[in-house]
Structure formats: C-alpha cells, structure tokens
Amino acid sequence: MTMPIYASPEQFMRDRSDYARKGIARGRSVVVTTYAGGVLFVAENNWRTLHKVSEIYDRIGFAAVGRYNEFENLRTAGIRLADVRGYSYDRRDVTGRWLANAFAQTLGSIFSEHQKPFEVELCVAEVGTHPGNGHPTEAAPGTRTMATDQLYRISYDGSIVDETRFVVMGGSTEPVAAALEESFRSGWPLQAALAAAVKALGAAGEGAPRDLRADQLEVAVLDRAAIGRTFRRLDDTEVAAALAGGAVPAGNAGSAEHAELAENAESDGPGDA
Amino acid sequence: MTLATDQHWPAAAVPSAYLTPGIGSFVEFLAKAEPALLARSTVPGRVPELPHGTTIVALTFADGVVMAGDRRATMGNMVAQRDIEKVFVADSHSMVGIAGTAGVALELVRLFQLELEHYEKIEGTRLSLAGKANRMASMIRGNLAAAMQGLAVLPMFAGYDLDRRATKAGDAGRIFSYDIAGGLYEEHAYHAVGSGAVFAKSALKKRHDPAAAVGGAVRAAIEALYDAADEDTATGGPDLSRNIYPVVVVATADGALRQPDDEIGAVAQEVVADRRVRPGG
C-alpha cells in the first residue's frame, strides 16, 4: 500500500508561493505612478498588440505582470464586472476599491483552492478628482469616487495593498522601486514621471542601466481632466517626444474616449500638467 | 481553462462565468451570466398607452452625416414629455436616434452604447460601422415579441465610416434603418423615422444637398423637423418660449459631436423667422 507523502500546510503554501513568485519574476516589469494630471502606466513590453495595461472603466485602469493568459482572463472579468455594475446601477457606482476587492477575493480563492495558483500580479488604479499628496484621504463627502488617486496592488495570493505614490510589479523589482523611491515627487508633471519611470525600468534587467526605447514600452494614462472615459494610450511618437524632453500632447480624437468628451478635455490635457 | 463550478466557488469572488473566455459582446454576456438584467416580463394582450418618441431625421453631407430629433414624447393625445432626448452619440464616430416606445427605446440605446464600449475595451479595437449596425439589428430582433405587443422600437443608426476615409471620403457618412423584426437597410442620402417621417422625408427630398457643408445640412435637418411638426401633432416644433430645440449630432472624420444647444437654438430661430414670411419654407 502506498502512502501519500505528508507535506505540512506551511510547506504546501510556501511551495505554491515560490511557484507563483518564480513565474512572475520571469516577466518584465511594470510601473504605475500618480502624477499631477492623473495616473501613469509604463510597462516594458516588446509585444505590440498583447497589452499589459488596459482600460477597465471611466476612471479605472489595469496593469498586470506574469502569465498573459491568466491576467488577460482577469482583465476581461474586470471589464465585465465593471460594465455589469455600471449597467445595473450607475456609472459612478463603479469604484476601484470594489474592483480591487473582487480581484483579491478571486486570486485568494484560486491560490488556496486550485491545483495551480495564478502567476500574476495586478494593479488596479483609479484616478481621483484631485491629485494625491502622498497621503491617503477619505472619499469626499457625497461622492463615490475617491477624492485622490488610488493604486491597489494585488498579489497572486490575494493579498492587497493600497498606494498613493507608485507601484512596481514584475521581474526584479528592487532596483526599479529603489530608483523610483529616489526620484518620485508628489504632483510631478507627466513628462518627468514618464522619464523617471522609464529610467527606473532600465535600472533592472541584463546590462543595466539600459536605455529603453519608445517601441519597447507600453504607456497609458488615466487623464484626470478628461470627462467620461479617462484612459488614453500614448503612441510611440508621443512617448519618444516626451522622453526627448518635449511635452506630451493632449488627447486627440483617435484615442479611446468619446470624441465628444475629448473635445471638452482638450484645453487641459496631460501635457499642460 | 477550467475553473471551479459555482458550488465550490466562494461567494465573494468573481463568479466563474465572468472568467470564462468568450466574445466581446456585452449583450450576449449578460444573457449568459446575468439573464435577470435582460429579462422583460411579458403580459398577455396589448400593453396600455405608453410614452412614444416621434420624429428622427438623418442626412449625409460633404464631410459626414447629421442626425436630428424633435423633443416631444406623446402618450395618445397627450404630451408626455416636451424635452425628451431621442438622438444620442453612440461612440466616437456614430450616433443613434430612436422612435417608438420611449422606455424600451432608451434602454436599447443604453445597452447599445455599452455594447460598443464593451467590445472596444475587451478586444482593444472598435467594431466597423457596418458591424455596429449589425449588432443593433440583432438587439432589435430580440425585442420582436415585445414589439408584437405594441412595445415596438424603431431606431436609426448613422455614423462616419473610418474605413472609407482614405478611399471614399465623400461617401463616408452612412445611415442605417431597421424594421421591428431586426431587418437592416442601408439608406442613401437621407432618411426619417417616426410618426412625422413622411413629412420630414418629403422636405429632405427637396432640400438635401450631398455636397453641402455642415451648416447647410444642420439647417436642412431642422427645416425637415419643422415640416414634420407642422403636419404631425406628435412631433414637437422648436419651443421658443422655453428654449427647447432639436437635438442634433454631427459625425465627421473628427468624431461624433452633439451640437451645442445655443447654436442649434440660433438656427431654429432663423427657421421660425423665415417661416413667418414663407410658411411653406
């Protein structure tokens, strides 16, 4: 008669954590940071169409590292959750905190109940009505959205932390986080935040420090000034111009938000921040 | 990927249907995962009188397409609402107008707007203009049983076809109409739906100029609505005393934009002033 090999619960969980952590560490990193005009996502990503950063809802964005099929699954679920909630209640009733909790619960149950934990790390970002000052604040009275920007970082085991400055996820995060710790300024302009994030990403990986080119980056913002859908991708030319020291142009009609809404926001785009 | 069945799934986590890969249609997702949100209870026989939306017009011009709607909803011989909005921006380059049972139609528009946005977010790209028109057709098809009971809704969809921007820019403004069974018809040049449609279309037949600039097209749309209101009691004319004017949306290569009320008000006032001199326009 064969006996199953005994593994203590501690050992069992530790093995799963190690497994998930190893999977995540293989990928390239993502930086999410707040700036004067909203939230900035910068991902090192050589793929052109397989995104690590995505729009979820009007004021909510999503970034992920790890196994693509797994975080793509969660991203789709997030969009569905947000759209169903917005449809059955109201668009203002979809909040980043609620969505981050749903992701945390899901990752937590997958971690403890499934054969294989998800090898992913997520960031749910919500752009507030005011720039953050580095201190978490309560929701403004009478409003659903947080007054200031919120970043929620959710790990493979469902643990969740909220941040108001920046989040670094993925491969070797220590040098990236250390570089950002050094350079982060509360309420910095988009151009400075982007340059610092790209420099920080270049501080890790083989042959560091590296100079990352625009076509190795996936960049997007949640633009506080935009009305309605605030998520906007920055294309290679915009990123290259910003890295060369130029201002980032304001939203154009070809971007994700409704042209009607972009029009209203044009006067106070991220470039002015 | 197989995930736990719902009975093993903790209540606080995302339901497994949300994590199941599928297509980018919000309506089809709702039907599968949250059917209660789409369900409409049915009653035998015809339903009582409900608010109805009336006249919507659309016409192409040199740079795109214009859609306009009057502001009246009626319930039999009564005015149910005098400032209802029946023309909406659907997404970045398209718009939708509705005639028929207002409650059903407004819900259809909300679902349609979400359908387009949902697809765009999930797939990372927008549907083609014809693809959007087809989505609307299948949504109307789902309403056929209710339509037979008297809850009919007749939308009109129009937009700027970005795929034609390079090759057929002069023909990029497109208009689609529907029947209650979900039939989809592409209209050329101009079209009108609703109780005053006959009169509006007659007016557009004389006034439509495919080479007109945006100002001329907006003026023609408002003239056509005026003619509809002149002959059809269910269609509301410009309300100068309350400053209620038609809702006008214009789609060009730059996007679909609802025109500011004060600009439309100025055009409507001109139309009314001219009709004082020549009531026939």
Side-chain angles (χ1 to χ4, degrees):
Chain A
M1 190 181 129
T2 52
M3 293 280 284
I5 301 162
Y6 174 76
S8 69
E10 290 84 357
Q11 183 62 43
F12 182 69
M13 286 303 178
R14 207 157 37 234
D15 287 353
R16 297 179 138 244
S17 288
D18 286 348
Y19 178 83
R21 234 182 257 134
K22 265 183 212 155
I24 294 163
R26 275 195 290 273
R28 298 188 172 82
S29 302
V30 174
V31 168
V32 185
T33 178
T34 56
Y35 70 97
V39 176
L40 168 70
F41 301 88
V42 186
E44 192 184 347
N45 189 353
N46 289 323
W47 301 328
R48 296 284 79 190
T49 52
L50 304 178
H51 296 303
K52 290 181 173 181
V53 174
S54 162
E55 173 184 15
I56 295 274
Y57 212 63
D58 287 354
R59 305 188 77 81
I60 303 172
F62 172 94
V65 292
R67 267 182 104 87
Y68 179 80
N69 68 323
E70 291 174 350
F71 69 67
E72 173 65 13
N73 204 260
L74 291 167
R75 182 190 76 95
T76 309
I79 293 170
R80 286 170 171 170
L81 278 172
D83 279 347
V84 168
R85 192 177 172 100
Y87 176 67
S88 46
Y89 299 107
D90 186 80
R91 292 194 83 92
R92 276 175 305 181
D93 298 313
V94 180
T95 62
R97 189 176 61 84
W98 161 78
L99 191 68
N101 271 325
F103 280 138
Q105 295 285 355
T106 307
L107 281 172
S109 22
I110 289 171
F111 181 74
S112 54
E113 288 165 34
H114 282 255
Q115 285 207 321
K116 170 194 157 323
F118 271 20
E119 299 156 67
V120 295
E121 218 172 341
L122 314 177
C123 175
V124 171
E126 182 174 29
V127 64
T129 44
H130 304 288
N133 54 4
H135 304 289
T137 33
E138 291 296 306
T143 61
R144 287 285 155 299
T145 46
M146 292 297 281
T148 60
D149 306 331
Q150 288 293 324
L151 310 176
Y152 300 93
R153 177 204 179 120
I154 305 140
S155 296
Y156 54 86
D157 58 355
S159 59
I160 177 169
V161 272
D162 76 329
E163 277 285 346
T164 50
R165 301 189 307 152
F166 60 84
V167 164
V168 181
M169 309 180 293
S172 42
T173 51
E174 290 82 9
V176 183
L180 270 178
E181 194 69 54
E182 190 86 1
S183 54
F184 181 85
R185 300 281 175 277
S186 178
W188 51 356
L190 177 57
Q191 198 273 332
L194 179 57
V198 173
K199 193 164 174 239
L201 285 172
E206 246 172 73
R210 302 171 298 151
D211 274 330
L212 293 167
R213 297 184 314 273
D215 64 354
Q216 294 170 291
L217 297 166
E218 182 184 351
V219 182
V221 292
L222 293 173
D223 178 0
R224 193 191 320 287
I227 297 165
R229 291 165 70 185
T230 59
F231 184 88
R232 185 168 78 91
R233 289 186 189 284
L234 271 58
D235 62 28
D236 285 355
T237 40
E238 288 174 292
V239 173
L243 290 180
V248 181
N252 55 2
S255 63
E257 62 271 314
H258 292 186
E260 180 191 32
L261 308 170
E263 187 83 0
N264 300 331
E266 212 139 62
S267 55
D268 192 17
D272 309 324
Chain B
M1 176 167 30
T2 43
L3 286 161
T5 50
D6 276 325
Q7 65 211 28
H8 297 123
W9 199 242
V14 177
S16 61
Y18 286 71
L19 292 156
T20 310
I23 66 160
S25 165
F26 184 66
V27 176
E28 281 174 34
F29 173 72
L30 276 187
K32 211 165 10 169
E34 307 279 354
L37 286 178
L38 281 180
R40 192 172 293 136
S41 51
T42 47
V43 287
R46 283 187 77 81
V47 291
E49 198 82 66
L50 289 168
H52 270 66
T54 49
T55 309
I56 309 290
V57 300
L59 66 154
T60 60
F61 66 102
D63 303 321
V65 56
V66 172
M67 189 183 284
D70 75 305
R71 302 289 290 273
R72 182 171 291 176
T74 56
M75 227 161 88
N77 63 318
M78 309 288 274
V79 173
Q81 196 181 347
R82 58 177 105 255
D83 62 351
I84 192 173
E85 302 201 355
K86 297 179 284 189
V87 176
F88 303 89
V89 172
D91 76 345
S92 66
H93 287 81
S94 67
M95 59 256 210
V96 57
I98 44 137
T101 312
V104 182
L106 293 174
E107 188 58 28
L108 183 79
V109 167
R110 201 156 87 90
L111 203 52
F112 181 62
Q113 288 169 324
L114 199 49
E115 175 83 3
L116 302 186
E117 179 191 330
H118 187 77
Y119 182 93
E120 186 184 322
K121 289 193 289 195
I122 296 250
E123 305 286 336
T125 175
R126 293 198 191 105
L127 279 168
S128 64
L129 193 71
K132 291 171 196 168
N134 271 325
R135 281 310 308 166
M136 175 60 103
S138 69
M139 287 167 69
I140 299 169
R141 220 165 283 141
N143 191 52
L144 182 59
M148 297 306 287
Q149 284 197 307
L151 295 173
V153 38
L154 272 185
M156 182 157 59
F157 175 69
Y160 186 89
D161 192 342
L162 287 167
D163 298 333
R164 290 188 175 182
R165 181 163 45 177
T167 50
K168 292 198 278 182
D171 208 14
R174 298 174 72 184
I175 302 167
F176 299 89
S177 72
Y178 301 87
D179 62 29
I180 58 163
L184 167 64
Y185 311 93
E186 178 156 10
E187 304 291 341
H188 296 281
Y190 60 87
H191 190 63
V193 292
S195 58
V198 179
F199 311 106
K201 265 180 107 165
S202 301
L204 286 173
K205 187 187 281 180
K206 308 286 183 198
R207 289 183 190 275
H208 176 247
D209 173 9
V214 60
V218 168
R219 170 86 189 222
I222 292 172
E223 294 267 11
L225 286 176
Y226 188 99
D227 284 323
D230 216 13
E231 306 291 337
D232 169 35
T233 54
T235 304
D239 190 338
L240 301 186
S241 54
R242 294 190 183 85
N243 276 323
I244 300 170
Y245 304 109
V247 174
V248 181
V249 177
V250 174
T252 62
D254 297 334
L257 265 176
R258 184 181 158 160
Q259 302 301 297
D261 282 343
D262 49 346
E263 281 177 30
I264 296 306
V267 180
Q269 283 166 17
E270 268 174 44
V271 170
V272 172
D274 288 357
R275 296 289 176 125
R276 287 213 174 111
V277 185
R278 269 173 60 110

